[in-house]
Amino acid sequence: MNWTLVLPELVLALAGLAALVAGVLPKRDTSFAINMGVFGAMLLAAVLVMAQPEGTAFAGQYVSDAFTRFMKLLVLAGAALGLLVAMDWNVKEGLAKFEFPLLLLFSSLGMMVMVSANDLIALYLGLELLSLSLYVIAAFNRDSERSAEAGLKYFILGSLASGLLLYGASLIYGFAGSTNFDRIADAVSATEGVPFGLVVGLVFVLAALAFKVSAVPFHMWTPDVYEGAPTPVTAFFASAPKVAAIALLTRVAAGPFGELVEQWQQVLILASLGSMILGALAAIGQKNIKRLMAYSSIGHIGYALMGLAVGSDLGIRGLLLYMAIYLFTNVGAFAVLVAMRRNGRALEGIDDLAGLGRTDPAMALAMTVFMLSMAGIPPLAGFFGKLYVFLAAVYGGYWTLAVVGVLTSAVSAYYYLRVIKVMYFDAGEALDARPTSLSVVLAGTGLFTVFFFAFPAPFLAAAQAAVAALVG
Amino acid sequence: MDAFLASPIGILALTVAQTLALLVPLLIAVAYLTYAERKVMAAMQMRKGPNVVGPFGLLQPFADALKMLLKETIIPSGANRALFILGPMLTLILALIAWAVIPVNDGWAIADINVGVLYLLAISSLGVYGIVIAGWASNSKYAFLGALRSAAQMVSYEVSMGLVIVTVLLCVGSLNLSEIVRAQKTVWFAIPLFPMFVIFFISTLAETNRPPFDLAEGESELVAGFMVEYSSMTYALFFLGEYANMILMSAMTSILFLGGWLPPMDIAPFNWVPGPIWFILKIMLCLFTFIWVRATFPRYRYDQLMRLGWKIFLPFSLVYLVLTAFVLKLTGWLPV
Amino acid sequence: MIAALAFYVFAAILIASAVMVVTSRNPVHSVLFLILAFFNAAALFLIAGAEFLAMILVIVYVGAVAVLFLFIVMMLDIDFSRMREGLQRYAPIGAVIGGILFLELLFVFGSWQFAPDAATLRLNATPGPEVTNTEALGQLIYTDYIYLFQVAGLILLVAMIGAIVLTLRDKPANSKRQDIGVQVARAEAVKLANPPSRAGLGQLGIIRRPLPEAPKPKAVGHDHHDHHGGGHH
């Protein structure tokens, strides 16, 4: 047993329990203080993650290395930004309950467990802790029919995915006789040939994880849930949980099943191609900007999975960078969506952005930066994300992936540019003044997106170290 | 003889004999418990109670039983016939099969299993089905309301009951009922765990739907609750089930807190008395308290009942459980 | 031999009741069959020597979860004809998917292959005959698996928070609530008195509100006054 290794998780869990007590016991409303407290706990956990030593704990169920550190920092950043984005919105919509930050905290704890999982049971429990929190915050605006529907839909489909995961995990356990990733890796390498049962189990597990990252063909829930859930919740859904699920997918594929690369590669290539194509085509006709972002996120997951599908160190490095850049760009874009409010009412139509270029030039500029970055226009951050995964695909000889990727990027640029066109060339009324917290998030993510090209070295180095830790 | 007892048929015969030896006295005890209840309540209310049938009314239970048997069983036309009959049967069966693990004396249990306490808890948690099924199958609003009340009540009180049992288990280190009794050789658990003893006893009142927690029947508001449509033998089965459950819960209380078959002190006049007598005496003490409570307290209101269960008993027993664990750990009394 | 026989009996009932859960016309019957299925699963645990799990299955699933299931199902007003409608529409698709899954299962288990050292890695249910499996489970859960155990606890906590967030509605601020402590502590609410036998309230000094004026009985020649206004039967 090694309690000191799990210090970040421990601190986060205890902070959650303390915040729960602080929310329930006093008679007055403490939601603002708890928001701040949870934000602080996330930052503290991030600092502890940076100082976390390497090693395994609890009979190998928990692992800490450069990869987990990289991913956990991303997850915590995503969760903290998600909280900042949500605070003002919740007050305006009458949803300022102290449970919201708590659920965000527990979901980030679940994500950290997922990222550090080195055991099928830990994987499952982390995923459930995350999912359960997400189901609840999807339905957080319980008086809205759409929100409740989103929560229920996500819950039912998510339970199905969990069932698939458990089914696959039981097949893997039946083959290997252990749930530990290292033991499974040993069992896989000690076996001659490829046992059919093991492959079926692996495919089930991959399918469940593909559901969580909403890769094609497990993406059906995404547009409905993204549209129905409150906007800041959607912002959170599209950022941190995807990073965590991608981390888990990477660890499962590269760790215990590293030797079965030919088996999972086919699955991932198909998922990647499908996601890129669907993300590009289905988003074109959307009028609701949340649905547009849902399809856009499916497309981005397609690009990210391309990095894993090529099955090389270079590809995984590209994947990690892609997720980091995607996270910040996406949170920034959603911060604009959260700020879309006229006369106190939240807006979701693309047309509602009309005239933003004149009424709020700063926000319009930020949105332009995010949209161009997502389309992959140099020298913005998104370009580098795509560059690294395409490079990996080309080096690996996966020309189909690379070509389809470039083509779909070109198609998707159309709808990103349409948003910019609406902002600058259509006439419309002014939006309500944006709150300070959103301005901070916009400024931070915007500067990151613009100036990533100037200092990519630390990110590259961290990603390189993460890949080295993962592949060994 | 030994060879016969070791053969499958011998084992079967032995088990049947043991079961009969336990159940026949138990059913007679149930019959006389109804008599005792009426007599004790009468005494407390300065009345005489049953005194007509037989000397001191001693044959009254049999007269009642005969009356019940001879009446017509009425099944309401809108009722679900199979479940309507199943409800009362289930109630009595569950009250009886729990006795399989009760040790009457050292080594005197039909099945001295490893997880005896869990078995008892499992069986007592099933008791709610008899009531819920009866309430639903009757197809009557009063009956259904009674069933809903009782389901919520029994589930609520089981939680704190479970925690109390865990506290006892911490002090024993075994789930075997005989072991639990033996662990009380020096001191009965009722003394160090007195608050838990009280909570447990009150919870057993709620588990058996006895006053002041008899909201499932609540004749003043629900006529007779879940049994409103029952008559004759089906009604008698509920009646028997309730009293058999009372005896069972008293036995459980004696085993967990009052030292089962052990004498109060292991010295001369006390340890001449055989164990089963002590056990029976303790059960009778608990049963008397059941009746005493009934004659003394008015019925709880439903929200008060829930409040007591969830807001007082549950947190208190949780805190006491943690406290017990701490004390045992710090003093090194934790059984290994 | 008896154990094998018992296994087949319980397994057969388990499968039969599982089928009945799905096919029963009445949802209450479905839940009751579900309970029967739980029981048989517990019996199978017992045969496998896992008595602790068997009892916990009964206590948790049958004693608590299924009661709440039954509770809800009994109160639901389900329209059976509409349910059947959906069933007929989706049955072919469901049958196709089920068939494919079944074929897959056949393939998987038809060619099942274990890793060479899988048998040694797999843990024994009980370390030895002298340790009960309650103890064995406890020793594993609270040592090797403490991390997973705690995470599982957090999952349950989140489930609880979620249920409360999504359903609890605060009462309006002006609604009156009960404060038992305050109510009991009111000085004038309870008065202890030790009345002598046959003493009336007047003699004890307890002031009573004057009774409402009783309607004067019509003078029809019978002078029976009834001040109590009924109440005795």
Side-chain angles (χ1 to χ4, degrees):
Chain A
M1 233 186 291
N2 192 349
W3 284 103
T4 47
L5 196 65
V6 295
L7 203 60
E9 279 84 356
L10 212 55
V11 165
L12 211 53
L14 291 177
L17 298 182
L20 185 59
V21 173
V24 172
L25 283 189
K27 292 261 188 274
R28 66 207 156 72
D29 183 27
T30 50
S31 53
F32 181 76
I34 289 174
N35 266 315
M36 286 292 114
V38 167
F39 191 73
M42 283 171 179
L43 293 188
L44 178 62
V47 171
L48 289 172
V49 165
M50 280 193 255
Q52 200 176 16
E54 306 210 343
T56 59
F58 304 112
Q61 292 151 5
Y62 180 98
V63 63
S64 160
D65 53 28
F67 177 74
T68 63
R69 277 205 297 277
F70 185 82
M71 282 312 204
K72 277 183 192 171
L73 283 179
L74 281 188
V75 160
L76 284 169
L81 287 174
L83 186 61
L84 270 187
V85 168
M87 264 163 56
D88 176 69
W89 165 284
N90 282 351
V91 172
K92 288 203 173 116
E93 295 284 311
L95 296 174
K97 296 189 213 156
F98 75 91
E99 286 96 342
F100 187 85
L102 259 183
L103 288 167
L104 276 193
L105 182 144
F106 281 121
S107 64
S108 22
L109 184 61
M111 289 186 267
M112 287 168 75
V113 172
M114 276 163 73
V115 170
S116 272
N118 197 33
D119 189 288
L120 287 172
I121 308 177
L123 178 160
Y124 172 69
L125 288 177
L127 201 61
E128 278 305 282
L129 185 55
L130 166 69
S131 311
L132 213 52
S133 318
L134 293 190
Y135 304 147
V136 178
I137 55 172
F140 203 74
N141 188 3
R142 61 185 184 184
D143 295 323
S144 141
E145 218 167 87
R146 285 198 315 166
S147 177
E149 186 195 326
L152 197 62
K153 215 173 238 173
Y154 192 26
F155 173 61
I156 291 173
L157 292 173
S159 324
L160 193 69
S162 296
L164 284 182
L165 178 72
L166 283 180
Y167 192 60
S170 68
L171 285 176
I172 294 172
Y173 172 72
F175 161 77
S178 171
T179 51
N180 190 291
F181 285 174
D182 302 335
R183 298 287 88 70
I184 294 174
D186 293 345
V188 170
S189 55
T191 313
E192 288 189 24
V194 183
F196 185 59
L198 182 69
V199 175
V200 172
L202 173 62
V203 169
F204 272 120
V205 171
L206 289 182
L209 293 175
F211 173 88
K212 289 295 167 197
V213 297
S214 64
V216 171
F218 303 99
H219 64 282
M220 278 86 104
W221 58 276
T222 321
D224 292 349
V225 172
Y226 277 29
E227 189 189 350
T231 311
V233 171
T234 312
F236 179 64
F237 275 20
S239 52
K242 296 217 170 181
V243 174
I246 283 280
L248 199 51
L249 199 58
T250 313
R251 169 147 332 253
V252 170
F257 298 105
E259 306 224 347
L260 295 183
V261 65
E262 277 155 29
Q263 318 298 323
W264 51 257
Q265 208 173 23
Q266 304 163 2
V267 179
L268 289 181
I269 288 177
L270 278 181
S272 167
L273 285 175
S275 306
M276 287 190 292
I277 294 170
L278 184 107
L281 297 183
I284 292 176
Q286 300 303 328
K287 298 222 161 29
N288 183 306
I289 196 153
K290 278 158 84 182
R291 279 187 94 82
L292 178 99
M293 292 303 288
Y295 285 111
S296 142
S297 82
I298 294 175
H300 284 296
I301 286 302
Y303 298 118
L305 284 181
M306 187 197 292
L308 187 55
V310 298
S312 65
D313 295 7
L314 208 57
I316 296 177
R317 195 189 69 176
L319 163 79
L320 297 185
L321 281 173
Y322 198 95
M323 286 321 287
I325 291 164
Y326 165 78
L327 177 85
F328 289 109
T329 315
N330 201 54
V331 169
F334 267 100
V336 175
L337 266 54
V338 172
M340 281 169 65
R341 195 176 272 281
R342 193 170 291 144
N343 302 327
R345 263 188 61 245
L347 302 170
E348 296 182 354
I350 296 176
D351 301 338
D352 294 318
L353 280 171
L356 196 68
R358 250 153 296 136
T359 55
D360 190 347
M363 192 154 86
L365 181 66
M367 188 63 169
T368 309
V369 165
F370 298 133
M371 288 294 128
L372 291 179
S373 167
M374 285 196 177
I377 310 288
L380 298 171
F383 166 72
F384 290 96
K386 283 193 173 138
L387 179 69
Y388 287 119
V389 286
F390 289 168
L391 273 183
V394 171
Y395 279 135
Y398 295 91
W399 285 99
T400 329
L401 278 174
V403 170
V404 170
V406 171
L407 287 179
T408 52
S409 298
V411 174
S412 62
Y414 163 71
Y415 57 79
Y416 291 127
L417 289 174
R418 188 164 63 114
V419 173
I420 300 173
K421 177 222 146 205
V422 168
M423 283 194 302
Y424 283 102
F425 298 105
D426 290 2
E429 290 171 47
L431 298 175
D432 293 355
R434 60 173 186 274
T436 326
S437 58
L438 286 183
S439 304
V440 171
V441 173
L442 280 173
T445 52
L447 289 177
F448 172 85
T449 312
V450 174
F451 292 107
F452 178 79
F453 76 91
F455 49 90
F459 290 91
L460 272 174
Q464 193 60 52
V467 173
L470 186 69
V471 182
Chain B
M1 186 65 193
D2 283 348
F4 171 71
L5 285 181
S7 70
I9 299 170
I11 293 172
L12 192 67
L14 189 68
T15 314
V16 169
Q18 282 176 330
T19 312
L20 284 179
L22 188 71
L23 284 191
V24 172
L26 182 67
L27 286 173
I28 294 175
V30 167
Y32 275 95
L33 180 57
T34 64
Y35 172 79
E37 176 164 40
R38 293 169 72 177
K39 272 290 191 193
V40 171
M41 295 252 297
M44 286 176 178
Q45 294 159 356
M46 295 199 274
R47 296 184 282 115
K48 277 201 161 64
N51 62 349
V52 176
V53 190
F56 309 106
L58 272 174
L59 295 179
Q60 183 70 40
F62 296 102
D64 287 342
L66 215 59
K67 182 187 78 176
M68 292 289 194
L69 274 174
L70 294 178
K71 284 199 167 182
E72 185 192 354
T73 304
I74 299 167
I75 299 180
S77 55
N80 187 322
R81 291 181 72 91
L83 292 183
F84 188 78
I85 307 275
L86 182 68
M89 281 167 61
L90 207 60
T91 305
L92 183 64
I93 290 173
L94 288 173
L96 295 183
I97 59 170
W99 282 87
V101 294
I102 299 279
V104 182
N105 196 357
D106 208 350
W108 287 23
I110 296 176
D112 197 15
I113 59 174
N114 275 333
V115 286
V117 174
L118 290 182
Y119 176 82
L120 274 186
L121 200 62
I123 298 294
S124 73
S125 71
L126 295 181
V128 65
Y129 281 107
I131 294 173
V132 171
I133 289 175
W136 184 77
S138 300
N139 198 12
S140 144
K141 290 199 170 52
Y142 285 130
F144 188 53
L145 282 175
L148 289 188
R149 282 182 170 194
S150 116
Q153 170 183 341
M154 290 173 87
V155 171
S156 313
Y157 278 83
E158 238 154 56
V159 182
S160 47
M161 227 165 126
L163 285 177
V164 173
I165 289 178
V166 171
T167 318
V168 172
L169 296 182
L170 270 184
C171 304
V172 180
S174 167
L175 293 161
N176 181 301
L177 290 170
S178 304
E179 286 299 324
I180 291 176
V181 173
R182 277 182 217 119
Q184 303 180 55
K185 202 125 203 154
T186 40
V187 59
W188 294 358
F189 288 146
I191 295 164
L193 302 177
F194 185 72
M196 297 308 251
F197 172 53
V198 174
I199 288 183
F200 188 79
F201 184 75
I202 297 175
S203 299
T204 60
L205 289 179
E207 276 289 293
T208 47
N209 284 316
R210 287 285 299 178
F213 305 117
D214 57 340
L215 291 124
E217 321 176 6
E219 45 287 269
S220 54
E221 50 218 74
L222 291 181
V223 198
F226 63 93
M227 352 192 210
V228 66
E229 302 293 342
Y230 282 88
S231 57
S232 106
M233 208 48 217
T234 48
Y235 174 73
L237 287 179
F238 269 127
F239 209 69
L240 290 175
E242 180 180 335
Y243 283 86
N245 258 326
M246 274 167 67
I247 303 183
L248 175 69
M249 287 295 167
S250 304
M252 223 166 137
T253 314
S254 322
I255 289 171
L256 291 178
F257 289 102
L258 299 176
W261 66 77
L262 295 173
M265 271 171 284
D266 201 10
I267 49 171
F270 292 121
N271 54 19
W272 292 343
V273 182
I277 304 285
W278 280 120
F279 190 51
I280 291 169
L281 279 177
K282 288 167 186 172
I283 292 179
M284 283 167 71
L285 179 74
C286 293
L287 287 173
F288 176 76
T289 322
F290 265 78
I291 299 165
W292 189 12
V293 167
R294 176 175 177 188
T296 312
F297 290 109
R299 182 180 302 133
Y300 262 54
R301 218 171 50 209
Y302 199 69
D303 59 317
Q304 292 170 334
L305 171 92
M306 283 297 165
R307 182 179 169 273
L308 183 72
W310 288 107
K311 287 191 169 175
I312 299 175
F313 281 3
L314 183 60
F316 183 84
S317 46
L318 201 57
V319 168
Y320 206 86
L321 170 66
V322 174
L323 208 69
T324 314
F326 262 109
V327 168
L328 287 176
K329 185 79 190 163
L330 290 181
T331 49
W333 290 338
L334 202 66
V336 219
Chain C
M1 202 276 281
I2 290 177
L5 194 68
F7 171 80
Y8 285 115
V9 169
F10 286 127
I13 301 177
L14 174 60
I15 292 171
S17 48
V19 170
M20 289 305 287
V21 173
V22 186
T23 55
S24 284
R25 285 174 169 277
N26 189 331
V28 173
H29 290 180
S30 290
V31 178
L32 292 174
F33 277 114
L34 183 67
I35 293 162
L36 186 62
F38 282 145
F39 263 112
N40 286 288
L44 292 184
F45 270 135
L46 273 184
I47 292 173
E51 70 255 12
F52 180 78
L53 287 181
M55 291 303 155
I56 289 295
L57 185 72
V58 173
I59 293 174
V60 174
Y61 281 90
V62 182
V65 176
V67 173
L68 300 179
F69 258 39
L70 200 60
F71 206 100
I72 305 291
V73 169
M74 281 177 174
M75 287 198 283
L76 284 181
D77 188 20
I78 298 173
D79 187 348
F80 295 108
S81 55
R82 276 191 59 200
M83 270 174 65
R84 296 257 169 274
E85 207 175 84
L87 185 73
Q88 274 162 8
R89 200 147 47 110
Y90 296 116
I93 306 170
V96 169
I97 294 176
I100 292 174
L101 277 180
F102 183 69
L103 280 181
E104 264 182 27
L105 274 184
L106 279 187
F107 275 125
V108 167
F109 291 110
S111 65
W112 189 258
Q113 188 184 346
F114 287 106
D117 47 358
T120 52
L121 278 173
R122 225 167 268 137
L123 293 167
N124 232 354
T126 42
E130 70 284 352
V131 181
T132 66
N133 63 44
T134 314
E135 234 179 305
L137 269 177
Q139 277 165 2
L140 274 182
I141 287 178
Y142 297 106
T143 55
D144 288 354
Y145 291 91
I146 182 74
Y147 173 60
L148 305 177
F149 183 72
Q150 295 293 345
V151 175
L154 283 176
I155 292 177
L156 293 179
L157 178 69
V158 167
M160 197 163 81
I161 296 174
I164 292 172
V165 164
L166 294 183
T167 56
L168 183 72
R169 293 192 184 267
D170 284 328
K171 288 178 194 149
N174 55 358
S175 70
K176 288 194 173 174
R177 292 185 198 204
Q178 196 173 23
D179 191 338
I180 292 175
V182 169
Q183 280 165 282
V184 170
R186 277 183 308 175
E188 76 276 19
V190 180
K191 180 162 182 156
L192 292 176
N194 193 10
S197 185
R198 297 186 159 274
L201 289 175
Q203 283 162 275
L204 291 171
I206 295 171
I207 301 128
R208 242 179 148 191
R209 246 175 289 146
L211 287 170
E213 197 73 11
K216 285 272 188 295
K218 288 184 189 118
V220 206
H222 96 98
D223 53 2
H224 175 72
H225 290 253
D226 191 0
H227 284 292
H228 303 296
H232 288 290
H233 294 285

